[in-house]
Amino acid sequence: MAKPVDLRRFTGFRAITWLCLFVLYAPLVIVAIYSFNDSTSITRWGGFSLKWYVDVFTGPEAPKFRDAAINSFSIAIGAAICATLIATAAAVAMNRTGRFRGKTASLALINLPLMVPEIVTAVASLVFFITIGFKTGLLTIFIAHVVFCIPFAYLPISARMQSVPDVYEQAAMDLYATPWEAFRLVLLPLMVPGILSGFLLAFIISLDDFLITNFVKGAGVETLPTAIFGSVKQGIKPNIMAISTLLLGVSVVFVTLSWIIGRAGQSKR
Amino acid sequence: MSGGAPGGASKSDIYRGNGPRLMLPAWIFIGVFLVAPVAIMAVYSVLTKEFRGGVIWDFTLAAYDQFFLDRGLFGDEPASIEWTYIGIFWRSIWQAGLATVLCLLIGFPTAWFIATRDVKERSVWLFLITVPYWVNLLIRTVSMKFLIRDTGPLNELLLALGVIDGPLALVNTNFAVQLGLFYSYLPFMVLPIYAAVERYDFSMSEAAADLYASSWQTLRLVILPVVKPGIVAGCILVFVPSLGAFLAPDLLGGAKTFMIGSLIEEQFKGAAGNWPFGAAASMILLTIVMGVLLVHARAQTKGEK
């Protein structure tokens, strides 16, 4: 006789899940709330105000943050585009070309940036650029970002390609399409959700990176995370909380977009 | 990833012969800008340091010697084991291990709970767990620091509730670093365990129940062994980045909570830069991480046989 017990339930697991969410969100929510604090003391609540947001855009540090934001967003867009192109080509190679020499090694290589500890990648990149006499600056940040964005772009793109059956491409080939036409006119449109999702993840990863950027940025060049880090070293100021909240908002928007696109891709099948 | 397309059509040879050509950009980028740099760094670790950063092309094992052996202030005493740096590595391993255990204690029930919801509810929970994962690690660490400051919201709350009489000095302690690591990598634990539980066949739980196992016996003797690959993957995803973490020890800790990441950073960015020594410490860290990943890969391929 089966007992009237739900085998999926364990006592307390629901409470722990809520605790987990609480732990994950509490610090972020609290900083977001205090970024609207009118008081000059950062922890005494003095009423609601947008003055720190105004300060971010017009205050004495505004030019610094504006330049850092421009750097951050240009690098993130460029690195994400590059990483997406490379990852798409790699995904076709891994999912649509049958066996070839070095296929297993290729997969390991694509995932390598995820396995090498970030601090090691950062230090190695710095040493490398100095050894070959490459001046550190925007270009070195861009190159380093492309490298570690590749696996993040590759994962959703490859997952999507695996889930798209190749019957459509086969049909196109039967109708005398060249492989390039079959790719461009058939596979690529079907891949759009995966590619967009990969691009967005790569974009966020690049936008968020602090450690590697900090090593390869060179003197005088800042991205938002390195500028924030520099300020935080002198103490947490309210304008930093406002910037953090803005950046938090950007991340949430992009993750949500990526999630919605991913779901749309799944349901369309 | 095996498992062909629905309908069983072969789907892997449309662009036959183009594999290497399509892989080339990835090979070049990662090869030139990651593999080559790590190789160069390995070389740096056996070079001689130059005063105030940089290296002299003179091969020596001095950096490794300095790491492991103590020869006294003037280098003329008999060599004994140098515990300073081994101690830093040990503290890092301990902190990363503790963070892994804590993440597992919270992460497993969470992953289990989410994986046993309705499909629709599941995706919402999963989304909520994923969002903090994509929020800037620096911002998350700063937020944690703000929360636990001496005059921060946590202390204010505890004081107001009368739990404590004076503010707790949390920042610059091992506890703060631990909290930071746990907080940084918690989502990494939930996601792979979720994936494993989602595939778990509940008829096995039914079979256990039919044989009069209690639900905790079922968890321990049936479920845990089956979802173990997910748990191991989660542990690695927490342990490896925790080990080389820089932000949590740097922002939440102080001089007493030095971890590998800070040690390496200091050699390259700090005033007393010693590049070969930093490179050697990096190589030792890389060796530990690759060792962990290799053992995992071995165990996995063995499990598949």
Side-chain angles (χ1 to χ4, degrees):
Chain A
M1 274 286 132
K3 288 178 246 169
V5 175
D6 183 356
L7 293 169
R8 292 161 188 265
R9 267 198 74 227
F10 284 95
T11 326
F13 278 21
R14 176 189 290 270
I16 295 174
T17 305
W18 281 107
L19 176 73
C20 179
L21 278 194
F22 178 77
V23 168
L24 287 175
Y25 283 90
L28 299 174
V29 170
I30 286 171
V31 161
I33 291 172
Y34 274 91
S35 71
F36 294 105
N37 190 358
D38 193 39
S39 167
T40 33
S41 141
I42 70 166
T43 30
R44 289 258 178 269
W45 182 255
F48 178 85
S49 154
L50 287 173
K51 71 175 180 188
W52 299 117
Y53 289 88
V54 175
D55 182 79
V56 166
F57 290 101
T58 59
E61 289 188 302
K64 185 180 97 181
F65 291 134
R66 195 195 56 222
D67 291 349
I70 291 171
N71 285 343
S72 269
F73 280 92
S74 341
I75 288 168
I77 291 171
I81 290 174
C82 258
T84 306
L85 289 174
I86 293 171
T88 306
V92 174
M94 298 304 285
N95 296 304
R96 290 289 201 269
T97 63
R99 290 168 177 279
F100 62 89
R101 264 180 70 122
K103 192 170 182 178
T104 319
S106 296
L107 190 62
L109 191 84
I110 290 173
N111 285 311
L112 195 64
L114 296 177
M115 294 183 201
V116 177
E118 212 188 342
I119 183 87
V120 175
T121 307
V123 169
S125 302
L126 173 71
V127 164
F128 173 75
F129 287 126
I130 286 181
T131 307
I132 63 169
F134 210 91
K135 200 175 170 314
T136 52
L138 282 178
L139 187 60
T140 50
I141 303 177
F142 168 77
I143 292 171
H145 280 210
V146 173
V147 172
F148 70 72
C149 283
I150 290 174
F152 286 94
Y154 176 81
L155 289 171
I157 294 175
S158 180
R160 172 81 188 165
M161 209 175 285
Q162 275 167 12
S163 75
V164 173
D166 72 347
V167 286
Y168 309 110
E169 295 151 82
Q170 299 279 15
M173 302 283 274
D174 287 347
L175 296 168
Y176 300 104
T178 61
W180 170 242
E181 284 169 332
F183 172 75
R184 192 164 49 93
L185 302 171
V186 181
L187 181 59
L188 202 57
L190 289 169
M191 285 299 301
V192 166
I195 290 174
L196 267 180
S197 168
F199 170 83
L200 291 173
L201 295 187
F203 178 84
I204 300 174
I205 287 293
S206 165
L207 198 64
D208 281 0
D209 179 73
F210 163 73
L211 201 49
I212 294 171
T213 311
N214 191 38
F215 275 87
V216 298
K217 74 185 174 65
V221 181
E222 301 285 352
T223 63
L224 275 178
T226 63
I228 292 174
F229 183 79
S231 289
V232 167
K233 280 306 232 181
Q234 290 145 23
I236 303 174
K237 282 175 291 178
N239 61 346
I240 290 303
M241 301 209 286
I243 292 187
S244 297
T245 307
L246 289 172
L247 209 46
L248 186 103
V250 171
S251 295
V252 171
V253 167
F254 276 88
V255 180
T256 311
L257 273 180
S258 167
W259 189 63
I260 292 171
I261 292 167
R263 283 202 351 163
Q266 272 172 6
S267 56
K268 243 189 245 162
R269 253 199 295 144
Chain B
M1 299 273 159
S2 59
S10 107
K11 58 166 198 170
S12 57
D13 53 357
I14 292 190
Y15 308 102
R16 180 177 289 286
N18 288 314
R21 216 186 306 163
L22 289 164
M23 274 311 300
L24 201 61
W27 271 103
I28 290 176
F29 244 88
I30 300 176
V32 173
F33 297 112
L34 183 64
V35 178
V38 170
I40 289 177
M41 201 181 55
V43 175
Y44 264 53
S45 73
V46 292
L47 294 179
T48 307
K49 74 163 170 170
E50 192 178 25
F51 185 56
R52 281 209 283 175
V55 285
I56 299 166
W57 284 80
D58 223 347
F59 290 96
T60 166
L61 283 174
Y64 291 95
D65 187 286
Q66 183 189 351
F67 190 96
F68 289 109
L69 298 174
D70 178 11
R71 296 178 192 275
L73 195 55
F74 301 103
D76 52 0
E77 289 167 32
S80 59
I81 294 175
E82 165 72 275
W83 290 108
T84 315
Y85 305 115
I86 297 173
I88 290 173
F89 268 65
W90 176 245
R91 182 189 300 123
S92 306
I93 291 171
W94 162 248
Q95 286 275 36
L98 189 60
T100 308
V101 172
L102 291 177
C103 284
L104 184 59
L105 287 177
I106 299 283
F108 179 81
T110 303
W112 178 273
F113 179 77
I114 296 174
T116 52
R117 300 295 97 193
D118 295 339
V119 177
K120 266 198 173 163
E121 205 186 324
R122 237 185 260 177
S123 75
V124 174
W125 280 103
L126 214 54
F127 175 70
L128 289 174
I129 295 286
T130 324
V131 168
Y133 170 101
W134 294 111
V135 170
N136 196 319
L137 185 61
L138 173 65
I139 290 178
R140 290 163 65 202
T141 312
V142 170
S143 304
M144 183 54 85
K145 182 166 184 168
F146 176 74
L147 184 68
I148 65 171
R149 280 155 47 99
D150 294 358
T151 56
L154 182 67
N155 269 318
E156 300 267 310
L157 178 73
L158 293 176
L159 283 170
L161 291 174
V163 181
I164 51 173
D165 297 328
L168 299 171
L170 293 172
V171 176
N172 292 342
T173 60
N174 281 317
F175 174 79
V177 176
Q178 180 54 233
L179 194 64
L181 292 177
F182 165 74
Y183 179 54
S184 302
Y185 303 116
L186 180 57
F188 288 28
M189 183 64 88
V190 177
L191 299 176
I193 298 181
Y194 164 82
V197 175
E198 203 196 15
R199 286 195 300 266
Y200 175 72
D201 182 357
F202 278 92
S203 57
M204 290 199 279
S205 285
E206 281 163 30
D210 288 345
L211 297 167
Y212 299 104
S214 72
S215 57
W216 289 103
Q217 278 173 323
T218 311
L219 178 65
R220 195 162 51 87
L221 299 171
V222 180
I223 296 165
L224 283 182
V226 175
V227 300
K228 197 173 137 203
I231 294 176
V232 174
C235 288
I236 287 175
L237 285 179
V238 174
F239 183 78
V240 166
S242 296
L243 194 62
F246 170 74
L247 283 173
D250 190 75
L251 290 175
L252 298 168
K256 282 187 195 159
T257 63
F258 230 52
M259 282 175 59
I260 305 173
S262 319
L263 176 71
I264 294 172
E265 198 257 2
E266 196 189 45
Q267 300 306 320
F268 286 90
K269 290 237 141 183
N274 182 342
W275 285 25
F277 184 68
S282 304
M283 292 314 294
I284 295 166
L285 170 62
L286 189 61
T287 309
I288 298 174
V289 167
M290 289 300 156
V292 170
L293 295 176
L294 208 66
V295 168
H296 175 230
R298 277 265 173 79
Q300 237 182 0
T301 44
K302 232 186 224 170
E304 274 167 19
K305 266 175 203 167

